[in-house]
Amino acid sequence: QVELVESGGGVVQAGGSLRLSCTASINILTMSYMAWYRQTPGNQRELVAGFIGDIRREYTDAVKGRFTISRDNAKKTMYLQMSSLKPEDTGVYYCKMMRGRAELWGQGTQVTVSS
């Protein structure tokens, strides 16, 4: 019923930038939770960045100062701006939202950072 569509993944050079987008099929004002996760080789899926409440943002230590999470309610879209990318950032990035108690996931988008 409700879909999350991701875009913006790809291959970039170390030190470069990339912006991921996650667009919902419904108004994201109805969402109770919004965040980005990633799964890197040999590791479990982990939280990268998320909203605490409606305004505050939280980041995993590995990306602090380099990644920025944001959203545009009018466009029904959540973003992850990534800069100063490192090879260890390589992995599959997932969009997650909660609509009440319903858990929604995107399909995941591959991000590859070359040395």
Side-chain angles (χ1 to χ4, degrees):
Q1 181 178 340
V2 181
E3 296 183 336
L4 304 180
V5 180
E6 299 171 323
S7 62
V11 180
V12 297
Q13 187 75 29
S17 299
L18 200 63
R19 188 180 74 165
L20 306 182
S21 299
C22 174
T23 300
S25 60
I26 63 172
N27 194 334
I28 61 173
L29 289 173
T30 65
M31 303 297 179
S32 59
Y33 178 77
M34 299 171 60
W36 286 97
Y37 288 72
R38 72 181 179 186
Q39 188 162 11
T40 57
N43 298 303
Q44 294 182 298
R45 189 176 300 183
E46 64 174 345
L47 176 67
V48 177
F51 286 97
I52 301 176
D54 295 329
I55 301 175
R56 298 297 182 183
R57 298 162 172 82
E58 186 70 19
Y59 302 91
T60 187
D61 287 343
V63 308
K64 285 182 178 178
R66 299 188 298 117
F67 290 12
T68 302
I69 187 172
S70 63
R71 61 186 173 189
D72 187 327
N73 294 333
K75 295 182 178 180
K76 306 175 184 177
T77 301
M78 177 177 67
Y79 303 95
L80 184 67
Q81 178 66 48
M82 305 182 291
S83 62
S84 301
L85 283 163
K86 305 174 181 179
E88 51 263 43
D89 292 319
T90 294
V92 181
Y93 285 70
Y94 299 89
C95 170
K96 180 183 179 179
M97 298 186 184
M98 297 285 292
R99 190 188 184 210
R101 297 179 181 180
E103 186 174 293
L104 310 173
W105 288 92
Q107 286 293 114
T109 183
Q110 177 70 40
V111 172
T112 301
V113 184
S114 62
S115 300

Short mmCIF file of all heavy atoms in Angstrom, two decimals, residues 7-8 19 22 24 26-27 40 51-52 57 60-61 63 71-72 75-76 92-93 96 99 109 111-113:
data_model
loop_
_atom_site.label_atom_id
_atom_site.label_comp_id
_atom_site.label_asym_id
_atom_site.label_seq_id
_atom_site.Cartn_x
_atom_site.Cartn_y
_atom_site.Cartn_z
N SER A 7 16.60 6.72 -4.54
CA SER A 7 17.39 7.08 -5.71
C SER A 7 18.65 7.78 -5.25
O SER A 7 18.76 8.22 -4.11
CB SER A 7 16.59 7.98 -6.66
OG SER A 7 16.26 9.20 -6.04
N GLY A 8 19.62 7.89 -6.15
CA GLY A 8 20.83 8.64 -5.87
C GLY A 8 22.07 7.80 -5.61
O GLY A 8 23.17 8.35 -5.51
N ARG A 19 24.14 12.29 -2.89
CA ARG A 19 22.90 12.54 -2.17
C ARG A 19 21.88 11.46 -2.47
O ARG A 19 21.54 11.23 -3.64
CB ARG A 19 22.31 13.91 -2.52
CG ARG A 19 21.11 14.28 -1.64
CD ARG A 19 20.51 15.62 -1.97
NE ARG A 19 19.75 15.59 -3.21
CZ ARG A 19 18.88 16.54 -3.58
NH1 ARG A 19 18.69 17.60 -2.80
NH2 ARG A 19 18.24 16.44 -4.73
N CYS A 22 14.73 9.46 -0.68
CA CYS A 22 13.71 8.45 -0.39
C CYS A 22 12.36 9.14 -0.44
O CYS A 22 12.06 9.97 0.42
CB CYS A 22 13.96 7.82 0.98
SG CYS A 22 12.67 6.67 1.51
N ALA A 24 8.25 8.92 -0.46
CA ALA A 24 7.12 8.11 -0.03
C ALA A 24 5.92 8.34 -0.93
O ALA A 24 5.79 9.38 -1.57
CB ALA A 24 6.76 8.42 1.41
N ILE A 26 2.91 8.58 0.17
CA ILE A 26 1.94 9.35 0.91
C ILE A 26 2.64 10.47 1.67
O ILE A 26 3.87 10.50 1.77
CB ILE A 26 1.14 8.49 1.91
CG1 ILE A 26 2.07 7.89 2.96
CG2 ILE A 26 0.37 7.40 1.18
CD1 ILE A 26 1.36 7.18 4.08
N ASN A 27 1.87 11.36 2.22
CA ASN A 27 2.39 12.48 2.98
C ASN A 27 3.25 11.99 4.14
O ASN A 27 2.78 11.22 4.98
CB ASN A 27 1.23 13.33 3.50
CG ASN A 27 1.65 14.68 4.02
OD1 ASN A 27 2.79 14.88 4.45
ND2 ASN A 27 0.73 15.63 4.00
N THR A 40 27.07 -2.80 5.44
CA THR A 40 28.37 -2.90 4.79
C THR A 40 28.85 -4.34 4.89
O THR A 40 28.40 -5.10 5.76
CB THR A 40 29.38 -1.95 5.45
OG1 THR A 40 29.48 -2.22 6.85
CG2 THR A 40 28.94 -0.50 5.27
N PHE A 51 15.89 10.93 12.55
CA PHE A 51 15.28 12.04 13.25
C PHE A 51 14.84 11.59 14.63
O PHE A 51 14.23 10.53 14.78
CB PHE A 51 14.07 12.57 12.48
CG PHE A 51 14.42 13.37 11.27
CD1 PHE A 51 14.44 12.79 10.01
CD2 PHE A 51 14.74 14.71 11.38
CE1 PHE A 51 14.77 13.52 8.89
CE2 PHE A 51 15.07 15.47 10.27
CZ PHE A 51 15.08 14.87 9.02
N ILE A 52 15.15 12.41 15.61
CA ILE A 52 14.65 12.22 16.96
C ILE A 52 13.55 13.25 17.17
O ILE A 52 13.81 14.45 17.15
CB ILE A 52 15.75 12.40 18.02
CG1 ILE A 52 16.88 11.40 17.77
CG2 ILE A 52 15.18 12.24 19.42
CD1 ILE A 52 18.05 11.56 18.70
N ARG A 57 18.38 15.60 15.02
CA ARG A 57 18.98 14.56 14.19
C ARG A 57 20.06 13.82 14.96
O ARG A 57 20.74 14.38 15.80
CB ARG A 57 19.59 15.17 12.93
CG ARG A 57 18.57 15.87 12.03
CD ARG A 57 19.27 16.79 11.06
NE ARG A 57 18.36 17.34 10.06
CZ ARG A 57 17.58 18.40 10.26
NH1 ARG A 57 17.56 19.00 11.44
NH2 ARG A 57 16.80 18.84 9.29
N THR A 60 25.41 8.10 13.49
CA THR A 60 26.42 7.18 14.01
C THR A 60 27.77 7.88 13.94
O THR A 60 28.02 8.73 13.09
CB THR A 60 26.44 5.87 13.20
OG1 THR A 60 27.31 4.93 13.83
CG2 THR A 60 26.91 6.10 11.78
N ASP A 61 28.65 7.54 14.87
CA ASP A 61 29.94 8.23 14.99
C ASP A 61 30.75 8.18 13.69
O ASP A 61 31.49 9.12 13.38
CB ASP A 61 30.77 7.62 16.11
CG ASP A 61 30.25 7.99 17.49
OD1 ASP A 61 29.46 8.95 17.60
OD2 ASP A 61 30.64 7.32 18.46
N VAL A 63 29.94 8.62 10.73
CA VAL A 63 29.56 9.57 9.68
C VAL A 63 29.36 10.99 10.18
O VAL A 63 29.09 11.89 9.37
CB VAL A 63 28.28 9.11 8.95
CG1 VAL A 63 28.43 7.68 8.46
CG2 VAL A 63 27.06 9.25 9.85
N ARG A 71 14.75 16.52 5.28
CA ARG A 71 13.49 16.11 4.66
C ARG A 71 12.77 17.31 4.09
O ARG A 71 12.95 18.45 4.52
CB ARG A 71 12.60 15.39 5.67
CG ARG A 71 12.20 16.24 6.87
CD ARG A 71 11.43 15.42 7.88
NE ARG A 71 11.16 16.15 9.11
CZ ARG A 71 10.66 15.60 10.21
NH1 ARG A 71 10.36 14.30 10.22
NH2 ARG A 71 10.46 16.34 11.28
N ASP A 72 11.93 17.04 3.11
CA ASP A 72 11.09 18.04 2.49
C ASP A 72 9.68 17.49 2.49
O ASP A 72 9.34 16.61 1.69
CB ASP A 72 11.57 18.33 1.07
CG ASP A 72 10.83 19.49 0.42
OD1 ASP A 72 9.63 19.68 0.71
OD2 ASP A 72 11.45 20.22 -0.38
N LYS A 75 7.62 17.60 -0.73
CA LYS A 75 8.04 16.64 -1.76
C LYS A 75 7.94 15.20 -1.29
O LYS A 75 8.28 14.28 -2.04
CB LYS A 75 9.47 16.94 -2.21
CG LYS A 75 9.62 18.27 -2.91
CD LYS A 75 11.05 18.48 -3.38
CE LYS A 75 11.20 19.79 -4.13
NZ LYS A 75 12.60 20.01 -4.58
N LYS A 76 7.49 15.00 -0.07
CA LYS A 76 7.34 13.66 0.51
C LYS A 76 8.67 12.90 0.49
O LYS A 76 8.70 11.68 0.29
CB LYS A 76 6.27 12.85 -0.25
CG LYS A 76 4.93 13.53 -0.36
CD LYS A 76 3.99 12.70 -1.23
CE LYS A 76 2.67 13.41 -1.44
NZ LYS A 76 1.77 12.64 -2.33
N VAL A 92 25.06 -1.08 1.10
CA VAL A 92 23.69 -0.88 0.67
C VAL A 92 22.98 -0.01 1.69
O VAL A 92 22.96 -0.32 2.88
CB VAL A 92 22.95 -2.21 0.51
CG1 VAL A 92 21.52 -1.98 0.03
CG2 VAL A 92 23.69 -3.12 -0.47
N TYR A 93 22.40 1.07 1.21
CA TYR A 93 21.73 2.02 2.08
C TYR A 93 20.22 1.86 1.95
O TYR A 93 19.68 1.77 0.85
CB TYR A 93 22.14 3.44 1.71
CG TYR A 93 23.54 3.78 2.18
CD1 TYR A 93 24.65 3.19 1.59
CD2 TYR A 93 23.75 4.67 3.23
CE1 TYR A 93 25.93 3.47 2.03
CE2 TYR A 93 25.03 4.96 3.68
CZ TYR A 93 26.12 4.36 3.07
OH TYR A 93 27.40 4.64 3.52
N LYS A 96 14.09 3.89 5.93
CA LYS A 96 13.10 3.31 6.83
C LYS A 96 12.18 4.39 7.37
O LYS A 96 12.63 5.45 7.78
CB LYS A 96 13.78 2.60 8.01
CG LYS A 96 12.78 1.98 8.97
CD LYS A 96 13.47 1.34 10.17
CE LYS A 96 12.47 0.74 11.13
NZ LYS A 96 13.13 0.10 12.30
N ARG A 99 4.93 4.33 9.99
CA ARG A 99 3.64 4.97 9.93
C ARG A 99 2.79 4.36 11.03
O ARG A 99 2.26 3.25 10.85
CB ARG A 99 2.98 4.80 8.57
CG ARG A 99 1.73 5.65 8.39
CD ARG A 99 1.02 5.31 7.12
NE ARG A 99 -0.12 6.18 6.90
CZ ARG A 99 -1.22 5.83 6.25
NH1 ARG A 99 -1.33 4.61 5.76
NH2 ARG A 99 -2.19 6.71 6.08
N THR A 109 19.71 0.88 -1.87
CA THR A 109 20.47 1.39 -3.01
C THR A 109 21.96 1.25 -2.73
O THR A 109 22.43 1.53 -1.63
CB THR A 109 20.09 2.86 -3.30
OG1 THR A 109 20.78 3.31 -4.47
CG2 THR A 109 20.43 3.77 -2.14
N VAL A 111 25.81 1.98 -2.74
CA VAL A 111 26.77 3.07 -2.77
C VAL A 111 28.16 2.46 -2.77
O VAL A 111 28.51 1.69 -1.88
CB VAL A 111 26.61 4.01 -1.55
CG1 VAL A 111 27.75 5.03 -1.50
CG2 VAL A 111 25.27 4.71 -1.60
N THR A 112 28.94 2.80 -3.78
CA THR A 112 30.29 2.29 -3.90
C THR A 112 31.28 3.45 -3.97
O THR A 112 31.15 4.32 -4.83
CB THR A 112 30.45 1.40 -5.14
OG1 THR A 112 29.53 0.32 -5.08
CG2 THR A 112 31.86 0.85 -5.24
N VAL A 113 32.24 3.44 -3.07
CA VAL A 113 33.25 4.48 -3.03
C VAL A 113 34.59 3.87 -3.40
O VAL A 113 35.09 2.99 -2.70
CB VAL A 113 33.34 5.14 -1.64
CG1 VAL A 113 34.34 6.29 -1.67
CG2 VAL A 113 31.97 5.62 -1.20
#
